[in-house]
Amino acid sequence: MKKISVCTFILLMLAVLLLPLQITQAASHNLSTIPVGSGSYLMPESQGNSYEPMRIFTYRSSSWQDGKPVIVVFHGLNRNADTYRDGWIKAAEEKGFLVVCPEFSEEKFPGVPYYNLGHVVNQEGDVQLNPESTWIFSVIDDVTADVRARMQLHKSPVILFAHSAGAQLIHRYVLLGEKCTADKIVIANAGWYTMPDRSVDFPYGLKGLSISDKQLAKAFSKPVTILLGDQDTKRSKVLRKTPEADAQGMNRLERGHAFYQKAQETAKKMGVPFKWQLQEVPGVGHDGDAMGAYAASMF
């Protein structure tokens, strides 16, 4: 066998080590950029009830450039990502945002357990948890990574805004997802919550989940704002009215305050930093567009 020099061997090893990076960079260069105006595209996504790709609705203002905010918007119960995207167009034009709205379709992410609860369980009341590899919190990371790659982001802050059912998914992502790289997370008008309480069974609390103190402390250190419409006080038809939900409050406003207060108390008992904020939006009820418009003024 022909001998090779030490230098040649080192060069070959460097080439092997750098190959994955080169492949990743090549893949990102092959992704199409998000065009100005309204649009949508399909993102490959293996999580969910099928291997079908996920549709991403977008709006890019003509003044957006790297350095200006990217807003990733999570829709409510109706799975109407296009409508939520449209609700952000005015703010996007005024402030130069890039808006990205992933569609968690009923076909791919069926029912409350798959979307609101992140597929931690197959159905409420299950003692048996699904494998963490099937939880859908990684989809959120996939969406943000896809946008970063398409737009070659280096300076833009990435902000998550979630309303109603989307806020249920995202607050559970804050508690249970470990790979969040968002610069800000706004959780607006969730109907009910997974309380950071190990004495209450999931999905109303953390009992049954193997969440460590370190993971909980990391959740409390994230840049979260709980945004509540001060008129979101109706016990509407779709509001959950179980004894466990009503123990959190009789409406979304009360439940949001209870969630924030419990998180704050838990962080204090643990002796860890608590970086969450709570804000009420005056004169607004359960209105995704109005909550989004107020959130846009915060950025």
Side-chain angles (χ1 to χ4, degrees):
M1 185 174 70
K2 187 176 179 180
K3 294 183 178 180
I4 61 174
S5 69
V6 173
C7 289
T8 302
F9 177 77
I10 291 172
L11 288 172
L12 286 171
M13 289 303 295
L14 283 172
V16 170
L17 290 171
L18 290 173
L19 184 60
L21 177 61
Q22 293 167 344
I23 292 173
T24 301
Q25 289 175 334
S28 68
H29 287 312
N30 289 333
L31 295 174
S32 60
T33 59
I34 296 171
V36 171
S38 296
S40 71
Y41 65 90
L42 293 176
M43 183 190 82
E45 180 52 65
S46 61
Q47 293 287 54
N49 198 38
S50 72
Y51 288 100
E52 293 297 315
M54 187 176 192
R55 183 161 293 280
I56 312 293
F57 290 90
T58 64
Y59 187 85
R60 176 181 170 182
S61 72
S62 57
S63 64
W64 182 88
Q65 58 185 349
D66 187 24
K68 292 191 174 184
V70 174
I71 318 295
V72 185
V73 178
F74 296 84
H75 56 68
L77 181 68
N78 292 329
R79 316 295 183 107
N80 50 340
D82 56 341
T83 304
Y84 270 79
R85 183 270 315 273
D86 292 347
W88 276 81
I89 289 176
K90 182 180 178 182
E93 281 299 326
E94 289 176 350
K95 294 179 174 291
F97 293 159
L98 169 60
V99 179
V100 178
C101 302
E103 180 186 55
F104 289 79
S105 68
E106 186 68 37
E107 293 75 23
K108 189 170 174 64
F109 303 97
V112 167
Y114 234 122
Y115 182 46
N116 305 37
L117 304 185
H119 199 232
V120 176
V121 291
N122 283 323
Q123 58 185 4
E124 290 181 55
D126 280 0
V127 177
Q128 183 68 39
L129 304 181
N130 288 321
E132 288 190 29
S133 60
T134 69
W135 297 1
I136 68 165
F137 304 122
S138 62
V139 177
I140 301 159
D141 302 320
D142 293 343
V143 171
T144 56
D146 182 82
V147 174
R148 289 181 189 277
R150 286 177 185 275
M151 306 309 291
Q152 295 293 295
L153 299 184
H154 298 289
K155 298 179 290 184
S156 287
V158 175
I159 300 164
L160 309 186
F161 171 84
H163 181 255
S164 196
Q168 291 201 37
L169 172 68
I170 296 302
H171 92 266
R172 293 182 176 105
Y173 169 63
V174 167
L175 292 173
L176 305 178
E178 298 191 65
K179 297 181 180 179
C180 176
T181 59
D183 296 283
K184 191 170 184 63
I185 303 166
V186 180
I187 298 167
N189 289 351
W192 57 283
Y193 298 84
T194 293
M195 292 288 185
D197 187 339
R198 290 194 175 97
S199 68
V200 178
D201 288 327
F202 184 83
Y204 295 97
L206 298 176
K207 188 176 179 180
L209 300 175
S210 56
I211 179 170
S212 66
D213 284 350
K214 182 179 179 181
Q215 189 173 347
L216 205 52
K218 184 177 180 182
F220 294 146
S221 72
K222 292 176 181 176
V224 170
T225 297
I226 308 297
L227 200 63
L228 305 172
D230 73 353
Q231 300 301 305
D232 199 354
T233 56
K234 294 180 180 179
R235 286 176 66 80
S236 62
K237 183 179 179 180
V238 298
L239 181 71
R240 179 166 295 214
K241 303 175 184 70
T242 61
E244 297 89 346
D246 283 348
Q248 299 177 4
M250 299 306 288
N251 54 59
R252 294 182 183 88
L253 178 62
E254 291 181 1
R255 293 173 186 180
H257 276 279
F259 176 62
Y260 177 83
Q261 184 176 348
K262 183 64 180 178
Q264 189 176 44
E265 290 173 354
T266 303
K268 185 176 180 180
K269 287 179 181 178
M270 293 174 61
V272 298
F274 184 70
K275 297 185 179 180
W276 297 9
Q277 298 178 336
L278 183 143
Q279 285 184 242
E280 287 191 12
V281 183
V284 175
H286 199 66
D287 185 329
D289 287 349
M291 295 297 284
Y294 185 89
S297 71
M298 298 162 50
F299 307 146

